[in-house]
Amino acid sequence: MAIILEGCDCTGKTTFAKKLAEKTGFEIVKGSSFEISKLGADGMYQFMFDLLKRKDVIIDRLYLSNLIYGAKYDYPMMTEEQYASLSDMTNLFSLVVYLYAPVGVIQHRMLKRGDDMIEIEDIEDILNRYNEALYGEFRPRTVLSIDTSLIDIDKATNMVKELYKAI
């Protein structure tokens, strides 16, 4: 079983993943990125499918990110059948943790970090796309949503660790 971290840029996925890895001993692996999308639909699908077969791993983004960012930025995307298959696998073998924050907080973090992968004015649309995806056709069944502007990271990562053990 895997823990999948999803969310817009600058929501704290990397920080959360590192802290969670310290507590669990799990490896952190990248599951979706602009670089991985260059594998094309079949290559991405196989890559993500293989990740979902691994145990005790933290996956930094997966098919939901490809669904959102691929459509928004015209990057390669998978077929509906591939998304459905990955959704089914996720529902069987994973806990999805959706990390989010208010638009203004994300924009502030982007400016502070100097992030230039996406535009500040795209944040609201990306958050809306995540909301649609989390309740859409390929939604994961088990999702824990965490507002990273309000949490204590130690408590939140402990909560995820305990929830993972209970599933």
Side-chain angles (χ1 to χ4, degrees):
M1 195 158 131
I3 298 170
I4 301 169
L5 302 180
E6 283 287 359
C8 180
D9 294 58
C10 294
T11 55
K13 289 180 307 303
T14 300
T15 303
F16 197 92
K18 288 177 182 176
K19 185 60 103 172
L20 188 58
E22 286 175 18
K23 293 178 184 232
T24 61
F26 296 178
E27 177 186 7
I28 302 168
V29 294
K30 188 61 110 171
S32 180
S33 68
F34 294 125
E35 293 79 23
I36 293 170
S37 73
K38 292 176 185 174
L39 297 172
D42 292 339
M44 280 188 295
Y45 171 76
Q46 192 61 56
F47 180 80
M48 292 179 191
F49 186 84
D50 290 343
L51 282 181
L52 286 170
K53 292 191 288 186
R54 295 181 60 186
K55 292 187 186 317
D56 299 339
V57 65
I58 299 166
I59 302 174
D60 182 354
R61 297 191 171 181
L62 201 64
Y63 73 92
L64 288 174
S65 286
N66 176 255
L67 191 62
I68 290 155
Y69 286 89
K72 178 146 185 73
Y73 295 107
D74 198 31
Y75 279 87
M77 295 180 64
M78 293 174 276
T79 66
E80 287 193 15
E81 293 80 15
Q82 290 169 326
Y83 286 120
S85 173
L86 292 171
S87 175
D88 290 343
M89 285 281 290
T90 297
N91 289 334
L92 290 173
F93 301 111
S94 302
L95 167 64
V96 177
V97 179
Y98 172 60
L99 302 173
Y100 68 95
V103 174
V105 171
I106 294 172
Q107 291 172 335
H108 175 75
R109 290 174 181 171
M110 284 183 76
L111 290 171
K112 188 175 172 184
R113 182 165 93 177
D115 195 310
D116 60 356
M117 290 297 292
I118 61 172
E119 300 293 326
I120 279 187
E121 53 272 0
D122 290 343
I123 298 299
E124 190 168 359
D125 183 48
I126 291 168
L127 291 173
N128 288 335
R129 288 172 185 255
Y130 265 106
N131 283 330
E132 290 171 13
L134 288 168
Y135 295 100
E137 183 178 359
F138 308 116
R139 69 184 174 274
R141 188 172 36 229
T142 305
V143 178
L144 177 63
S145 295
I146 299 174
D147 182 339
T148 60
S149 70
L150 299 173
I151 60 142
D152 174 301
I153 194 165
D154 281 320
K155 289 180 183 176
T157 50
N158 280 334
M159 179 176 60
V160 170
K161 175 184 172 185
E162 293 305 313
L163 183 57
Y164 178 81
K165 289 183 349 187
I167 295 178

